[in-house]
Amino acid sequence: MTFEDVEAAARRIAGAARVTPVLTSRTLDDRLRARVFLKCESFQRAGAFKFRGAYNAITRLSEADRRRGILAYSSGNHAQAVALASRLLGAAATVVMPVDAPAAKRKATEGYGARVVAYDPAHEDREEVARRLQAEGDPVLIPPFDHPDVVAGQGTSALELFGETGALDLLLVPCGGGGLLSGSALAAKRLSPGCRVIGVEPETADDATRSFRTGTLQTVRNPRTIADGARTASLGRITFPLVRALVDDMVTVSDDDILRAMRFLWERMKLVVEPTGALGLAAAWRGALDVAGRRVGVIVSGGNVDLGTAADLLRGLPPED
Amino acid sequence: MTFEDVEAAARRIAGAARVTPVLTSRTLDDRLRARVFLKCESFQRAGAFKFRGAYNAITRLSEADRRRGILAYSSGNHAQAVALASRLLGAAATVVMPVDAPAAKRKATEGYGARVVAYDPAHEDREEVARRLQAEGDPVLIPPFDHPDVVAGQGTSALELFGETGALDLLLVPCGGGGLLSGSALAAKRLSPGCRVIGVEPETADDATRSFRTGTLQTVRNPRTIADGARTASLGRITFPLVRALVDDMVTVSDDDILRAMRFLWERMKLVVEPTGALGLAAAWRGALDVAGRRVGVIVSGGNVDLGTAADLLRGLPPED
C-alpha cells in the first residue's frame, strides 16, 4: 500500500465524509509546552473515523457486489459506520453483534437502516452465523481494519490534518487493530517525512506494542480497559507489516491516564470524546512522551460513549493536582 | 448603538478571542427539515461568548483606568471572562461572588488570575461590598450585559456567523440580560436584513418576553430553571430598547425542551453545551418555532457545566419517542 491509496480514498469519500475540524487550545499548549493540533474525528459522521474506511471500501465494490448486500461483525463504531455508508450507497447492510452489545449501539446501527443479527457467543460461533448469512445471499464482508480500502480510508484523517497544519514533529494515533494507525502513517510519511508517528495503546491491551518490538505478531484476549475500541485481539495481516514499516514507536497508557486526558477534553475543550479517542492525548498528558517544544498532531478518534457511564468514570477520578 | 460598534469590537478582539466554529449536522437538518448552522461559543475562550464583551470593554479603558483594576459581580460565565480578559490585558481583576457559588466556578476564575471576594447575600448587600472595594483603589466595574462595549462585543459572534453562512432566515439567540441578543440583532439587521431575530428564554424566566410584548420592563426573581445563564432579573437600560427595536420575536421553552436539545448536542453532535447554550436549539427542536425549509442560525452560547450534574439531568429525561 502507498500514499496514493490514501489520496484516492480522499477523492472517493469527498462530499460524503465530513472534513473534521482541527482544534487547538492555548491552555493545552501551555500545559504541555507544545503546539497541539487535535484532529476531531468525534465530529465525523456516525461519530468516529470508521466512516472513512467503511465508505471507501463500499464505494469500490461493483454494482453487482453491492447488490449482494454488506456484512459486518461489530458491536462498536465500525457497525454504525458500515450501516450509514451502506445506506448512503444504496446497499443493504447486515451487522452481526453479540447479544449483550449495548442497546444504544444496536439502536444507532438500526437507526442507520441496517439489519442487526444478534448472536450468543457462549452458544454459537461466528463462523456458524456467517454460514447462515452467506446462505441468504452471499453478502460482502467489510472487515473493521484488515483491508486495504479500509486502511486507505482511515488515512484520510491524517491527510486532512497535514493539509491544515503543514509539517508536524509528532503524530499520536490510537491503536486497536491498526487500521487508523497504518493509514495515518502512510499519510504522514509522505506529507511530513520528518514526523514521528506514534501508536498509543492501553497498557492492558499492549499487543501491538509487543508485536512492534518483537517483530512477531502478539495477541491479547478480552483485555480490561475503558478504551473499548482498543480491545482488538491483534494487528492484522495487512496492518502489522505497515505498522512495522512506517510507525516510529508505540507507547502504552493506563486507564487513569486516559481518563485524565478525557476530562480535559470534556471540561476544558467542551468535546464529547470516548475513552479510545483520548488515547493519543493521554500519551502526552502524563509524560509517557516528551512533547515539549514540538508541533504535535493528535487524532481524537471518536465520541461514541454513553454519557452517564462517562460521567461516572470521570466522577471517580481524583481532582487534578 | 449601531452595527459599526460591533464591527469595531470585532477588530479589537481579533487575535484575542477565538473565531468559533460553525457546525452543521445532516441528522439535525433532517429532523428539523431545515438548514441549521450552530455557532459554537462553547469553544470560545473561557467557555462562553462572554469573553467577547469583557475583552472589548476592557481594551477600551484608558491605561490609567486599567491600572485601577477591574471589578465584576458574577458567579457565572462573566466572572471567568472578565478574569481572563483582564489577565490578557495586564489588569488586576476582582470578582465578587456569593459564598455559595460552585467551587468549580470559583476555582476557574481564580485560575485565570482574578481575586475572588465571596460575600454572603443573606447578611451583606452588594452595595456594601462595592463600597469596601471602592475604598481599596476604585476599580472599574464591567457589568455583565448592560454596557455598550459589552453589547458590541457580544455581537461579534453573529457577525462571524453571517460572514460564514451569508443570509439566514432565522437567528435564534439565548436571552438572559439581553447583551448577546442585542448585539446579535445589531449584526443581523445589517448583514442579513431579512433575517428574523428571535430571543429564547426559559418559560419560568420569561421577563424579557413579557417586556418585549408589553413595552414595559418586566422582572423575574430567582426563577427556577436549569438555564442558569438566563436567570437574570430583567433586561437593562441599554439592552431593553435594543431588544424592542431590533428583535422580531421572543419565545419561551421548558426545561425539558432545553434538556432534549442538550441531549442531541451532546449525544449526536459530541458537543459539551450548558443548558443556557441549548436554549436556541430548544426553540426549534420541540416545535415552539416553525423552521421547516428555512436557513436557521443558532447561537450555542456556552459550555460551562458540571459534567456530573449534566449527566444526571440527561439521565432523568425519558428516551426520545
Side-chain angles (χ1 to χ4, degrees), chain A residues 15-16 18 23-26 42-43 45 112 266-272 303-304 307-308 311-312 314-315, chain B residues 15-16 18 23-26 42-43 45 112 266-272 303-304 307-308 311-312 314-315:
Chain A
R18 185 173 286 157
L23 299 183
T24 60
S25 155
R26 284 177 247 215
S42 44
F43 294 128
R45 295 183 80 177
Y112 288 126
W266 285 56
E267 280 192 355
R268 300 301 298 259
M269 298 205 62
K270 316 301 177 189
L271 298 171
V272 174
N304 291 327
L307 299 176
D312 288 344
L314 294 174
R315 245 192 279 248
Chain B
R18 183 173 289 157
L23 299 183
T24 59
S25 154
R26 284 176 248 216
S42 44
F43 294 129
R45 294 184 79 179
Y112 289 125
W266 285 57
E267 279 192 355
R268 301 301 299 257
M269 298 204 62
K270 315 302 177 188
L271 298 170
V272 173
N304 291 326
L307 299 176
D312 289 343
L314 293 174
R315 244 191 279 245

Side-chain angles (χ1 to χ4, degrees), chain B residues 233-309:
Chain B
S234 73
L235 295 171
R237 203 172 41 81
I238 288 161
T239 56
F240 181 35
L242 285 169
V243 167
R244 282 280 286 172
L246 300 174
V247 169
D248 293 282
D249 206 355
M250 298 286 309
V251 300
T252 62
V253 294
S254 71
D255 274 10
D256 261 18
D257 295 341
I258 295 169
L259 277 178
R260 282 175 197 282
M262 198 170 117
R263 176 165 62 188
F264 181 84
L265 292 167
W266 285 57
E267 279 192 355
R268 301 301 299 257
M269 298 204 62
K270 315 302 177 188
L271 298 170
V272 173
V273 170
E274 62 187 272
T276 309
L279 275 168
L281 185 60
W285 192 254
R286 297 285 283 177
L289 213 61
D290 183 21
V291 297
R294 312 281 176 83
R295 286 168 56 81
V296 184
V298 177
I299 311 261
V300 176
S301 56
N304 291 326
V305 62
D306 179 77
L307 299 176
T309 309

